[in-house]
Amino acid sequence: MNNIFANKGMYLEEVINRTINYLLLHKIAYIEKRNVPFKIIKKVNDNFFLGKLIGKSTVDYIGTYKNKRWEFEAKEVDDIFNFANIKKHQFIYLDNMLTYENCICFIIVFVKQINKFYLILFKTILDYKKSFKRNYMSIEELNKFSYELKIVYPGILNLIECMNKISQFQE
């Protein structure tokens, strides 16, 4: 029986990975995918290992651009962006990075129903939760409170264009 969750988030991750590889190759920005902390239990063969999670991951991606630290998580959703998709330890981590490191923290959301990418600042999520007392955003609210990302080159998001807009407001 196929696991219906086996490819959850794989399209978004593929597009982001292609984007960050492009940015690195062209020496525009340095962003890397963080690995999930695990311990190898058994080597099955040269290409296959069994492992065990040894801790909680923080966020999916970290990097720098124009001397600013960036950390972000990637989430693929069907229609609404439920903040419960961000695990509690990730909320705490992003809040700490925002507070103590002056880091620019955000979530990239891919909404499958409408085939759109959004970048929403973590601070916007915190302010939204406080103001609206809700733990989700509709597509209309994503359009209002976030930046829409577009594919501008085969499989490459206009992340730098968006980062430049955000940087103008962060200075």
Side-chain angles (χ1 to χ4, degrees):
M1 184 170 136
N2 288 339
N3 182 350
I4 61 170
F5 299 107
N7 291 324
K8 188 175 181 188
M10 292 308 293
Y11 174 68
L12 174 59
E13 186 174 316
E14 181 182 320
V15 171
I16 292 173
N17 290 343
R18 200 173 300 137
T19 301
I20 65 175
N21 288 336
Y22 175 87
L23 296 174
L24 183 61
L25 180 69
H26 291 87
K27 299 187 183 303
I28 297 168
Y30 178 80
I31 302 168
E32 69 178 28
K33 172 109 173 86
R34 273 206 175 143
N35 295 320
V36 175
F38 71 95
K39 178 180 178 183
I40 295 174
I41 305 285
K42 179 181 175 184
K43 179 178 178 179
V44 176
N45 60 42
D46 286 340
N47 297 319
F48 188 75
F49 299 85
L50 294 177
K52 176 183 175 183
L53 289 176
I54 57 172
K56 294 178 180 179
S57 64
T58 51
V59 291
D60 292 332
Y61 298 90
I62 61 170
T64 59
Y65 174 66
K66 290 188 174 180
N67 297 317
K68 252 333 205 173
R69 183 171 165 183
W70 298 75
E71 300 215 12
F72 64 98
E73 182 68 15
K75 299 296 181 189
E76 202 167 288
V77 300
D78 290 321
D79 50 6
I80 65 165
F81 174 41
N82 191 328
F83 302 151
N85 289 335
I86 306 168
K87 296 175 182 84
K88 184 177 180 180
H89 70 277
Q90 290 173 322
F91 249 96
I92 292 167
Y93 176 81
L94 288 169
D95 191 39
N96 285 337
M97 291 298 100
L98 193 62
T99 303
Y100 302 114
E101 298 291 331
N102 195 27
C103 181
I104 297 175
C105 304
F106 55 92
I107 311 294
I108 293 181
V109 179
F110 175 64
V111 183
K112 292 186 278 188
Q113 184 182 71
I114 58 172
N115 199 34
K116 284 189 177 183
F117 299 89
Y118 295 94
L119 184 154
I120 183 162
L121 292 169
F122 183 69
K123 181 169 181 1
T124 301
I125 292 171
L126 295 175
D127 292 345
Y128 181 91
K129 285 178 62 134
K130 193 178 205 178
S131 296
F132 295 97
K133 309 280 190 252
R134 280 201 339 231
N135 281 326
Y136 66 90
M137 280 187 179
S138 66
I139 292 169
E140 293 79 17
E141 290 165 323
L142 281 169
N143 283 318
K144 183 176 180 181
F145 295 109
S146 65
Y147 299 87
E148 184 179 344
L149 293 170
K150 304 238 184 229
I151 293 183
V152 292
Y153 185 76
I156 307 296
L157 291 170
N158 66 335
L159 188 57
I160 290 301
E161 180 184 320
C162 191
M163 288 174 152
N164 287 335
K165 287 179 187 175
I166 292 167
S167 292
Q168 290 173 0
F169 300 112
Q170 298 291 322
E171 295 171 354

